Amino acid sequence: GTRTAARLTERGYRPILAPMLRIEPLAPPAPPDLADVQAILATSANGIERLAAITPARQATVLAVGARTAERARALGFAAVRSAEGSAADLLPLIRALDPGEGAILHPRGEDAAFTFGALGDEGFDVREAILYRAVKAETLPSEAISAAPRAALIYSARTAEAFAAALALAPRLDPLTIIGISPAALAPLAPRATIPAPEPTEAAMLAALARAVPPGKN
């Protein structure tokens, strides 16, 4: 959030941080054993951050859902990182390019995952899951977000959209609000409200869509 806020400020906007999810770490019975893991599926920055916090192992290749998560994995010390530049489903071609005989695949994830990879077991992959956190929805928007009467909102996940939709119902005076999402799937919980999906699932595409819909000076 703070990184995105900095990018918005550079572009002439006045960002307001309004986290709609609170991340609560979950303690696994034991740290995942990465000795025979050839790849880690990083479908969120939270997952790879929690994994890095409980194990020093960094030898496995990280297959990241997008550039932001890939950037975070590198910052955490993972040297071999590849990005799907898309959604969790876009990781499938990267996974299928691996040899199942070279080792297991680990998916560190939250308690509620929109996409899982268990079906790859039918293709010979040993897919393991490590549930390392839960995302608790906020019930209301921060008072600053309401009093500032913002013109636009950026949505990065369906879970965020669910919480945001419920919070908006309690703050009707925020409408009309331009809502831009990283993908149509992330925006689905806000239907039938009008929204704008980014042309590709990256933050750069979201910010470009924001500039077209709400130019700086109309923040």
Side-chain angles (χ1 to χ4, degrees), residues 22-156:
R22 184 180 73 256
I23 302 303
E24 293 184 352
L26 298 175
D33 183 0
L34 302 189
D36 63 340
V37 170
Q38 65 166 316
I40 298 166
L41 307 182
T43 52
S44 74
N46 290 315
I48 198 69
E49 286 172 358
R50 285 295 305 139
L51 181 66
I54 60 176
T55 175
R58 299 290 188 272
Q59 74 275 12
T61 296
V62 174
L63 304 182
V65 67
R68 285 162 56 95
T69 304
E71 176 187 347
R72 188 65 187 129
R74 294 187 185 99
L76 290 165
F78 293 93
V81 181
R82 299 173 62 192
S83 174
E85 298 293 350
S87 66
D90 293 317
L91 286 171
L92 292 173
L94 298 183
I95 298 168
R96 290 178 173 131
L98 302 174
D99 180 352
E102 291 296 316
I105 309 294
L106 178 67
H107 182 200
R109 66 173 181 87
E111 200 172 51
D112 298 302
F115 192 95
T116 57
F117 299 88
L120 287 170
D122 295 335
E123 300 178 34
F125 287 95
D126 176 8
V127 181
R128 304 172 186 173
E129 292 187 329
I131 300 175
L132 302 180
Y133 68 93
R134 66 164 60 97
V136 181
K137 296 177 186 177
E139 296 182 357
T140 60
L141 287 163
S143 58
E144 182 188 5
I146 297 173
S147 62
R151 293 293 309 281
L154 301 178
I155 299 293
Y156 287 84

Side-chain angles (χ1 to χ4, degrees), residues 3-22:
R3 291 194 299 270
T4 299
R7 290 169 184 143
L8 287 166
T9 300
E10 290 169 359
R11 288 164 171 77
Y13 293 96
R14 182 166 65 89
I16 298 169
L17 290 175
M20 299 311 301
L21 299 175
R22 184 180 73 256

